[in-house]
Amino acid sequence: MFCLIMNQIRLDGLIASDYYHLYPKYLEMVLPLIKEEDTVEGFEIALAAMVGLFSGRNLGKQVVVVVARP
């Protein structure tokens, strides 16, 4: 511990609100990627979808739509 103090270790954090102005650009970039991924609908299918993701049925991400927006 004394060695860490003597070497003046620096720890920085990330404050998400500092980057809120980039959120629209983030959505523009991410939404097309989510739409092309494997999606399933329904809470009752969520467990099977996650098992499929971890067993190699789908590589990448798995989107589970629990409640559809009107």
Side-chain angles (χ1 to χ4, degrees), residues 1 7 11 17-18 22-23 25 37 52 54 60-62 64:
M1 181 71 165
N7 290 324
L11 176 66
S17 61
D18 289 347
L22 297 173
Y23 188 66
K25 187 173 183 174
E37 289 297 323
F54 295 122
K61 28 185 195 294
Q62 176 71 55
V64 177

Side-chain angles (χ1 to χ4, degrees), residues 42-61:
F43 187 73
E44 57 279 349
I45 304 173
L47 181 60
M50 292 299 130
V51 169
L53 177 66
F54 295 122
S55 66
R57 183 183 61 83
N58 178 22
L59 299 176
K61 28 185 195 294

Side-chain angles (χ1 to χ4, degrees), residues 3-24:
C3 183
L4 294 176
I5 294 170
M6 291 303 296
N7 290 324
Q8 298 180 2
I9 299 298
R10 181 176 170 184
L11 176 66
D12 287 330
L14 174 73
I15 300 174
S17 61
D18 289 347
Y19 300 97
Y20 189 71
H21 66 282
L22 297 173
Y23 188 66

